[in-house]
Structure formats: structure tokens, C-alpha cells
Amino acid sequence: MATAKEEFLKEFGEHYGYPNSPKTIDQIRAAEFNRLQNLVYLDHAGATLYSELQMESVFKDLTSNVYGNPHSQSDSSSATLEIVRDARQQIMKLSVIQVLDYCNASPKDYKCIFTSGATAALKLVGEAFPWSCNSNFMYTMENHNSVIGIREYALGQGAAAIAVDVEDVHTRIEGENFSTKISLHQIQRRKVAGLREGEPMGDVYNLFAFPSECNFSGLRFNLDLAKIIKEDSSRILGTSVCNNGRWLVLIDAAKGSATMPPDLSKYPVDFVALSFYKLFGYPTGLGALVVRNDAAKLLKKSYFSGGTVAASIADIDFIKRREGIEELFEDGTVSFLSIASIRHGFKILNSLTLSAISRHTTSLASYTRKTLLALRHSNGSSVCILYGRHNSMEMCHEMGPIVSFNLKRPDGSWFGYREVEKLASLSGIQLRTGCFCNPGACAKYLGLSHMDLISNTEAGHVCWDDHDIINGKPIGAVRVSFGYMSTYEDAKKFVDFVTSSFMSSRNHVDHGNQLEGVNGFLDTCYYLKSITIYPIKSCGGFSARSWPLSNNGLKHDREWILKSLSGEILTLKRVPEMGFISSFIDLSQGMLFVESPHCKEKLQIKLQLDFSDVTIQDIELHGQRYKVYSYSNETNAWFSEAIGRPCTLLRYSGSNHEFVLDKTKDVVTCKDTNSAVCFANEAQFLLVSEESVSDLNKRLSSDVQKGIHVTATQVNASRFRPNLLVSGGRAYDEDGWRDIRIGNKYFRSLGGCNRCQIINLALNAGRVQKSNEPLATLASYRRVKGRILFGILLKYESVNGEQQQGDSWLHVGQEVHPD
């Protein structure tokens, strides 16, 4: 690390680390971000982090002063009103003045309207803009959804909406050189009742919107674009449809202002949207719209509220609005405590200076881009494909502190971004994946056509789901972004993670010392070590020496579930406390016994249903619709107390048919009940090998000796919640099994079980302990195409099309014969 950092500093040392500021980056991290010791946080484009010093100042301020509602007349309210008023002028030598100073905007030309966030600021422009059927709303493809959403207001009023691409082509306008060309996409219009084309609508106003920095690629837009649009739109747009009326310009600076806010003394922008948590982490829920005075006078506001009117009468149509721009547009009570808090964030930024923050973060992003571009697989193919203008290092000044990319395998296929995110999380690295609410840039950089996007949606893909590769194409990207407190060590750990996880020869499933040859399995003796049944999904199970089989797997296995009052099916991943509930079934008594350390009484549930005491309802789980039985209020109250939240107990009805929902075709089909499951996620059985668990524990012990783990981590087979534990042979023999026979019962392997972070939960002494193990170690040698495999899934198999007959029981000690 030391040698690598020396090389980094040779190239970037002039700009890295705030050499001319009161504190160096290492001092800032040690004193103000102690909570980041074991974490690499690289999602500053999503939300940057507040410093501990900042929060101490906020706490001292709020606990030393009394701030009341500024609409009241008490002393505390008057003090607050003075703060808000000073926020328009000096606000205790900060707030609005600092906001305006931040954008280098004169209070004579601009006003600052506080909003609940940047999105609310953008929405305010959209809903109050003077649209007409002759208006145009034009926006770059790289805009966030919060900007594209303005399109709904424009189209709803009969205006045209047009997406554009901005390209670098040398252009000369009125003796000045510009490197901008705008290419228009298709014109969007809607038929709006009551509007007729060609009807005179008075003055025509158009709106052009673009981000100061693209939150997908990090591309910074040349703000000369605002001057071109306002002063000579017809020449740069080159089409008659955009020649009518006056153009106003909106900049979404929510992301870009963190390192390079727009200079409004130089660029005649009409609207700028800001978000304070993007600047310094706290407060959230507060943004601002910096608006030019003459543009504010054009906005048409319909709604009024407390504080925005000088007078109103309840039972007749009478209202007198306030004349001040801020008072007119700030509905209700402003977030005065948050407004009072932002000065402490600005103090942090001002102590470092924005230019130093920009140079610091740009050096880290440039290093990361350069290093990722240089990565090569052993066959010479590129590991990383970057998005944005990155090919020329001379262009780095046009890029913000965002690095967006996807990773490729040596054969040219893509690593899914969800795989990258999953492994990064296991390595203590927090980043962002997907399209980042920027559909235009995502489609543009990934080469996704309209047909691709529509077919992906019809196939069931929605934002934030687990689909990342469809038809061989990535449908999103990986994004890392740097903040003012980011360090070289953060960037280096991330690059090392990419190198070790996606260039390593270990990117495949290691089968351990599996026996060679077709007859290897036949020469080895395997036997059934234990049988475990989990009656209630995600709750504790019990082991049995013998247990009957049913069409659904082990009889009564995952036959019950817990559901929240909002309809969510509760699982161990979301509610770890479910793991403390233990269960046991006594077949001779026909009773399910349930216990919890949070409940004094043991719960007893009869296996034989009393149909006079239950009701039937439908639920959907994993794309399947089930008919289920519900229980009494007393039973539901017991489970609610056990897990600490209201819930209801439901039981699989065992009806002859389950209905499978095909959401892509909007049809309902019947599922083959011969391969049915109750409430299991994927299969009827999960089988784990005792030898595979032992091998994993040896690797975990080895990591401790190498210093990778501070303390020893050993796991029991129960951590994986298997139904069947087998013993014999060598580790990972089960990977090669296709069909197996246990006693005289046959089972078909459905492949490896893809493990998630649920196996990292350890339930000890009534406490839930979370770590990165054993999943992190499994990921180092059991990974294939984004799946971390351990154990195999089984299906109870029919013989010659008929359900198996005879002794339908499994017994501990039976021999296991794999094919």
C-alpha cells in the first residue's frame, strides 16, 4: 500500500488531501469520520456523509437555543423568524446568503426558496411554469427522473417535450467559440381536451433543463449551454419548432454542486435545484430552488397554504397572496431547524474550499478510472468498460468524481452488477448499482434500444430488482463516487477488490478434492446423518430420526408462514428474531409445539384443522398464489409478542392445485402438484454435506491464521438450514450428483443452492450477530456467474410417472446412493 500510494502521490499529490487547508484528509478522517474505520463508502453521489464535528455543532446549537414556529408571535417564535429572515439576508451570517454565495448569485438578481429537497424544487418549477400548447420542454438525455418528470406537466398543458443529446462539436456564435451541438430526439405531444393547435396563447415560454453533472457517468456539462440557449436558441437548435417564444434554463445541481456549483454571476440560469444532504450529509429533507427574480414572476402558483397568503376568506372565493417570492412559494412552515443547521455544514465546506474539494475528489476518480482501464485478463481482454468521456486523460477536467462501469469475463460475457454489489458488500465496500434513476443516460451508454427497454419491462424487470443481465446485455451499471472525506485508501481498496474478485482464477466453483472418474461416487459410502424439519418458514426447526415424506417434501416442512399486517411475508432476512422461535411436531399427538424466549407460555397448535375456527384466504409468494388457512387472534397475538411486531400465522391449505401467476402474459396456470412445495423458496429439500462444512471451516481457520479474520469463525451445518445432512466421501462431492437414492426413495438434483447473507446471521444467547462470514469465504472459491453455491436442492422424484409407494419415510443412517 505504501509503495502504491507513493506512485499515486507523484501523479496526484498536488491536488490530493487538502495540503493548504487547516486539516489534511488523514486528520479529517481520523477526527471526524471515525465510524468509517472498517467501511469503504463510495456512494457519495447518492448521499454524502455528515461529519461528527458537524453533528456536534448542530447538537450544541439546538440544545442551546429555543426555536419556535416562525408563524407564531412568542419570543422563541420571533427568534426563529429572525433566523429565517436572516436566511434571506444573512441568517446568522449564513443560510440563504451562503446558498446564494455558494452559487455566486447576487440577492438583487436571485431569490432562494427552501423546499423539502431537490426533487420538490424541480416539481415546483414544473407545476408553476407558464406552459401553453406552443411551449417546449427540452431536456438532455442525461437527466435524472426528477427532471424528466416535469414532462408530465408540460404534456398535460399541451406543450411539446423533446429529449436531446449534447455533443462536442466546434461551433462559433457571435464571435465566440463554443464546442456544443444539440441533436433532437422525437417530439412528444399529447392531445389535451380544451386546447386547439394554432390558438393564440399570449406570450410563449419554453424550458431547457440539464444537470450540471450527470449522476450516471459523472460527465460535467459546459454551462455555456445556458447562455447559448437563452441568447441564440434558433441557431444551436436548428429547427423551427423551437424558435417560438422565450427560453428559460433549469439546472439540476443536486449532484454537481457538491464539488462544482454553477456560477450564476457568469451564466444566466433561471432555476437551480440544490440538495443539502448531497453537499454535507445533514440535514436530509431540505433543498432549495435558486430562482432568478424575473423568472419567478412568471411562475403561476395555484395552491396556497399557511404562510403563503396575506389574507383569505373561507366561504367565498377570495385570496390575497403574499408578494415576496420566498413567502409565496414556501408552503406551510419551513423546516426552520434544518435551515438553522445548514450553516454548520457550510462551515465544513468553506474551511476546505470548493476548489480544493473538487481537485481532491477528481484526483481519486481519475486514479480509479485510469487503474480500471488498465486491468486486463490473462488473454489480454479488458476487465472494465467505463461510461462517459474517459478515453482521453486530457478530458478528465470534464468529469466529476463519479466512475460508472461494468465488468467483463475473459470470454467477453458480462459480470452482473448485482454480483459486483453483493461481493463488494461482503468486502465492506458500499457502492451503487442499477440505472441510478437516470434512464436516458443508462440507455445511451449501455446501448439499450426502445425495444430492449420495453421488452425488459414486459419480462418483469423493474427498478431495484435482481435482474442485471437480460438477453446477454447489462441493463444497469456499477457506480462508485467520491466525497470530500474520501481517501486514497478507499480507492485502492476498491481497485484491489475488483482485481482480486474479477481477475482471479478462482472465479469458478472449486469442487475441492472430488473423486475422479465416472464410478467415483459408486466407490464411496455416503449415509444420511440427520433430518431436519422447519414447520414455520424462517423459524427454528427440529431434527428427527425418521420422518415421513409427502408430495411437498418432508411432511409439514415450511407449511406455516408469518405475515405482517401490511401483507408482507416475514422472513429471517427481514426479521432475524424469527430465528429464536423453536418448533417441534409430535405426530403421535397430532400437535405442533412452538416456544419463544419472549413468551412465557408454550404454544400448541393442532395438526388436524378445526374448520369452524379458521378462514381461507389467498396470498402470493414467489410468483405463486396459494390458498391458506388463518388462525385465531390469540395465536396471532402469541407470534406478535414473539417477534416484537404485529403478524398473523398462515398455513398452507394442501389443496390439490396451486396457481402460478405469469405476470408477463397476465394468465394463471396450474402447477404440477407432483413437484409442489409448501412455502420453500426454491425446492422441496436442501441437502448439505458434512465434509463440505468441514472444508469450509478449515478455510475459515486458515484465514484467521493469515490475519484475514481477527477471531476464529466456525459454522455449524445448521447455519445453512438444510433438510438433509449427509456424511461420507469428500467435500463437494454433492456438486456432481444428478440423481440420488436414499433407501428406496429417489430424488432429482436441481443444482446448487445460491447462498445469500442470511447465512452470516448467528443467533447466540438471544442476540443476533452479523458478520461477513461465512459468505465472504464461500465467495472466494464457490462462485459461478454471480451465484455463491453451497449445498444442493432436491426434488422428490416419481418412478415411471407414478408417485412412489411403500414406506414413505426417510431414516437417519440410510445409505445415500448418488448417480
Side-chain angles (χ1 to χ4, degrees):
M1 177 73 79
T3 303
K5 188 170 185 178
E6 287 178 7
E7 293 299 316
F8 167 82
L9 292 176
K10 286 180 182 178
E11 183 172 359
F12 299 105
E14 181 182 356
H15 305 294
Y16 173 79
Y18 312 111
N20 299 318
S21 297
K23 295 180 182 179
T24 66
I25 183 60
D26 292 334
Q27 290 172 330
I28 291 172
R29 280 294 286 264
E32 302 179 31
F33 294 91
N34 190 54
R35 63 191 188 277
L36 293 180
Q37 284 186 353
N38 299 314
L39 182 69
V40 176
Y41 184 85
L42 297 176
D43 189 23
H44 296 275
T48 199
L49 301 175
Y50 52 80
S51 84
E52 291 154 23
L53 177 63
Q54 174 190 350
M55 297 310 296
E56 288 173 5
S57 299
V58 170
F59 179 77
K60 182 178 180 180
D61 183 5
L62 298 185
T63 55
S64 302
N65 298 286
V66 177
Y67 297 125
N69 189 315
H71 293 166
S72 302
Q73 300 299 317
S74 64
D75 290 343
S76 61
S77 300
S78 297
T80 304
L81 183 60
E82 287 302 314
I83 289 178
V84 176
R85 283 175 178 170
D86 286 347
R88 317 300 178 193
Q89 305 170 19
Q90 296 180 351
I91 197 173
M92 297 169 64
K93 301 179 181 179
L94 76 101
S95 263
V96 170
I97 290 298
Q98 280 201 308
V99 172
L100 296 179
D101 285 346
Y102 197 68
C103 298
N104 200 17
S106 168
K108 295 180 180 180
D109 299 323
Y110 287 90
K111 292 295 186 292
C112 175
I113 301 170
F114 284 114
T115 64
S116 63
T119 295
L122 296 166
K123 181 183 178 185
L124 190 158
V125 175
E127 65 186 4
F129 195 83
W131 303 109
S132 73
C133 63
N134 294 316
S135 297
N136 296 284
F137 173 47
M138 191 172 289
Y139 53 92
T140 61
M141 286 288 286
E142 287 82 359
N143 272 298
H144 191 278
N145 266 332
S146 297
V147 174
I148 299 176
I150 295 174
R151 179 179 65 187
E152 297 302 300
Y153 291 110
L155 295 177
Q157 294 296 318
I162 312 164
V164 301
D165 285 307
V166 179
E167 305 171 59
D168 276 348
V169 177
H170 183 75
T171 305
R172 189 174 180 84
I173 299 177
E174 295 182 356
E176 292 190 62
N177 292 324
F178 297 102
S179 57
T180 304
K181 177 184 177 183
I182 296 179
S183 302
L184 278 62
H185 290 246
Q186 66 186 35
I187 299 175
Q188 308 163 59
R189 278 194 183 275
R190 288 181 188 162
K191 292 183 179 180
V192 180
L195 293 179
R196 291 177 294 179
E197 290 190 24
E199 180 180 349
M201 299 292 290
D203 294 332
V204 175
Y205 298 97
N206 307 297
L207 183 64
F208 189 97
F210 66 96
S212 60
E213 180 182 318
C214 173
N215 77 313
F216 185 95
S217 66
L219 175 68
R220 284 175 175 156
F221 281 77
N222 189 334
L223 298 190
D224 280 327
L225 183 58
K227 186 180 297 184
I228 298 171
I229 294 296
K230 291 179 69 69
E231 297 177 359
D232 203 342
S233 59
S234 60
R235 188 180 304 182
I236 194 70
L237 298 175
T239 176
S240 59
V241 74
C242 300
N243 290 342
N244 297 325
R246 173 184 167 188
W247 280 92
L248 283 77
V249 174
L250 163 67
I251 290 182
D252 175 10
K255 169 60 189 80
S257 59
T259 53
M260 193 174 288
D263 185 345
L264 300 185
S265 68
K266 184 177 179 181
Y267 303 104
V269 178
D270 298 286
F271 309 101
V272 178
L274 300 172
S275 175
F276 294 110
Y277 79 88
K278 301 271 189 180
L279 298 178
F280 32 70
Y282 180 88
T284 59
L286 183 67
L289 178 67
V290 177
V291 55
R292 195 176 184 89
N293 291 341
D294 58 351
K297 295 175 182 178
L298 301 174
L299 299 180
K300 300 176 180 179
K301 190 169 187 290
S302 298
Y303 177 76
F304 70 88
S305 65
T308 62
V309 291
S312 67
I313 299 177
D315 56 347
I316 65 172
D317 185 7
F318 176 83
I319 174 179
K320 179 177 175 57
R321 298 179 185 272
R322 293 189 180 273
E323 296 182 359
I325 292 173
E326 305 95 335
E327 295 173 327
L328 178 61
F329 286 99
E330 290 175 350
D331 289 318
T333 303
V334 294
S335 183
F336 54 89
L337 294 182
S338 294
I339 292 172
S341 298
I342 64 176
R343 59 175 172 170
H344 304 293
F346 276 120
K347 285 180 182 178
I348 299 290
L349 301 188
N350 292 337
S351 69
L352 299 174
T353 75
L354 283 176
S355 60
I357 291 173
S358 181
R359 292 193 302 272
H360 171 77
T361 54
T362 297
S363 70
L364 293 172
S366 299
Y367 162 78
T368 302
R369 290 190 196 99
K370 180 179 179 181
T371 308
L372 290 177
L373 278 174
L375 297 181
R376 293 288 185 275
H377 289 295
S378 57
N379 63 1
S381 62
S382 295
V383 174
C384 186
I385 303 299
L386 295 179
Y387 302 118
R389 299 179 184 177
H390 56 269
N391 293 324
S392 171
M393 296 311 292
E394 289 74 27
M395 301 287 281
C396 280
H397 68 281
E398 296 185 4
M399 301 297 294
I402 284 177
V403 184
S404 182
F405 62 93
N406 272 310
L407 300 173
K408 278 193 164 185
R409 296 186 177 88
D411 63 3
S413 62
W414 298 94
F415 287 104
Y417 59 76
R418 290 286 292 153
E419 176 180 0
V420 180
E421 183 177 31
K422 183 177 181 180
L423 295 177
S425 179
L426 290 173
S427 299
I429 299 172
Q430 304 299 308
L431 44 76
R432 179 87 177 268
T433 63
C435 278
F436 326 125
C437 299
N438 195 324
C442 187
K444 179 177 179 177
Y445 288 114
L446 299 180
L448 298 173
S449 66
H450 291 164
M451 187 63 69
D452 290 331
L453 298 173
I454 293 172
S455 64
N456 291 347
T457 302
E458 290 178 345
H461 169 58
V462 295
C463 294
W464 304 330
D465 65 14
D466 287 334
H467 296 294
D468 50 17
I469 305 290
I470 297 181
N471 296 325
K473 285 185 177 182
I475 55 176
V478 183
R479 184 186 74 186
V480 297
S481 49
F482 298 94
Y484 75 84
M485 75 298 294
S486 298
T487 64
Y488 163 77
E489 286 74 18
D490 292 334
K492 182 65 165 61
K493 287 177 183 177
F494 169 71
V495 171
D496 288 347
F497 155 72
V498 173
T499 302
S500 63
S501 299
F502 300 97
M503 289 181 62
S504 171
S505 60
R506 296 186 300 175
N507 288 335
H508 63 276
V509 170
D510 179 358
H511 296 288
N513 299 317
Q514 183 171 304
L515 295 174
E516 300 292 336
V518 175
N519 296 321
F521 298 137
L522 301 179
D523 298 333
T524 304
C525 178
Y526 307 93
Y527 70 95
L528 187 57
K529 181 74 176 289
S530 68
I531 303 169
T532 306
I533 303 92
Y534 305 91
I536 306 171
K537 181 179 175 67
S538 288
C539 294
F542 66 97
S543 295
R545 295 291 301 175
S546 300
W547 199 256
L549 295 167
S550 71
N551 290 344
N552 301 317
L554 292 170
K555 191 174 183 63
H556 301 306
D557 184 54
R558 286 161 291 188
E559 195 168 307
W560 288 264
I561 56 171
L562 295 179
K563 186 182 75 169
S564 71
L565 298 187
S566 63
E568 175 191 14
I569 304 302
L570 301 181
T571 63
L572 192 61
K573 185 182 296 185
R574 294 176 179 265
V575 189
E577 293 78 9
M578 294 177 68
F580 295 118
I581 297 176
S582 61
S583 59
F584 173 74
I585 290 178
D586 189 322
L587 293 175
S588 63
Q589 295 185 48
M591 195 72 70
L592 166 64
F593 298 95
V594 191
E595 292 185 87
S596 167
H598 301 293
C599 300
K600 294 180 180 179
E601 302 295 331
K602 180 188 296 186
L603 185 65
Q604 300 182 33
I605 300 174
K606 292 180 179 180
L607 300 181
Q608 183 67 40
L609 283 166
D610 181 357
F611 290 96
S612 64
D613 194 38
V614 298
T615 58
I616 299 178
Q617 59 180 280
D618 289 336
I619 64 167
E620 184 182 337
L621 179 64
H622 306 309
Q624 299 175 22
R625 183 174 294 161
Y626 295 88
K627 288 190 178 297
V628 295
Y629 298 118
S630 58
Y631 284 84
S632 66
N633 291 336
E634 291 78 5
T635 300
N636 295 331
W638 190 96
F639 281 100
S640 298
E641 183 179 358
I643 66 172
R645 65 178 69 190
C647 65
T648 59
L649 180 69
L650 301 175
R651 182 180 181 181
Y652 176 69
S653 69
S655 57
N656 292 331
H657 298 284
E658 293 173 41
F659 298 98
V660 181
L661 302 178
D662 187 341
K663 295 183 178 180
T664 63
K665 299 179 181 179
D666 196 25
V667 297
V668 178
T669 58
C670 284
K671 180 178 179 179
D672 177 11
T673 57
N674 286 334
S675 60
V677 296
C678 289
F679 296 121
N681 289 355
E682 296 182 87
Q684 296 172 335
F685 304 87
L686 170 61
L687 180 148
V688 166
S689 158
E690 188 175 45
E691 283 66 31
S692 298
V693 175
S694 296
D695 178 77
L696 170 60
N697 281 321
K698 289 178 183 177
R699 294 173 189 262
L700 290 169
S701 298
S702 175
D703 288 344
V704 172
Q705 295 173 5
K706 294 176 183 177
I708 298 176
H709 302 318
V710 177
T711 58
T713 302
Q714 294 289 283
V715 296
N716 189 279
S718 61
R719 181 78 71 92
F720 302 97
R721 296 177 65 85
N723 296 112
L724 308 176
L725 179 67
V726 300
S727 186
R730 302 189 184 185
Y732 314 110
D733 278 356
E734 66 274 14
D735 291 342
W737 297 353
R738 293 297 169 262
D739 296 280
I740 68 171
R741 176 171 58 84
I742 304 176
N744 63 348
K745 299 294 174 284
Y746 293 85
F747 302 85
R748 169 67 54 86
S749 171
L750 303 179
C753 180
N754 184 25
R755 311 314 305 218
C756 67
Q757 293 191 353
I758 196 67
I759 65 174
N760 290 339
L761 293 181
L763 307 177
N764 294 321
R767 299 181 60 184
V768 179
Q769 298 175 334
K770 298 181 180 180
S771 70
N772 288 335
E773 295 297 348
L775 192 59
T777 294
L778 285 174
S780 69
Y781 74 105
R782 297 286 302 169
R783 191 171 108 242
V784 56
K785 293 189 176 180
R787 293 159 56 87
I788 302 172
L789 304 178
F790 192 82
I792 60 172
L793 302 170
L794 297 178
K795 167 189 171 183
Y796 188 29
E797 195 64 277
S798 300
V799 179
N800 298 324
E802 298 292 335
Q803 191 63 36
Q804 300 179 36
Q805 303 295 323
D807 180 19
S808 296
W809 286 66
L810 288 180
H811 307 275
V812 168
Q814 284 181 314
E815 290 188 357
V816 177
H817 300 278
D819 180 0

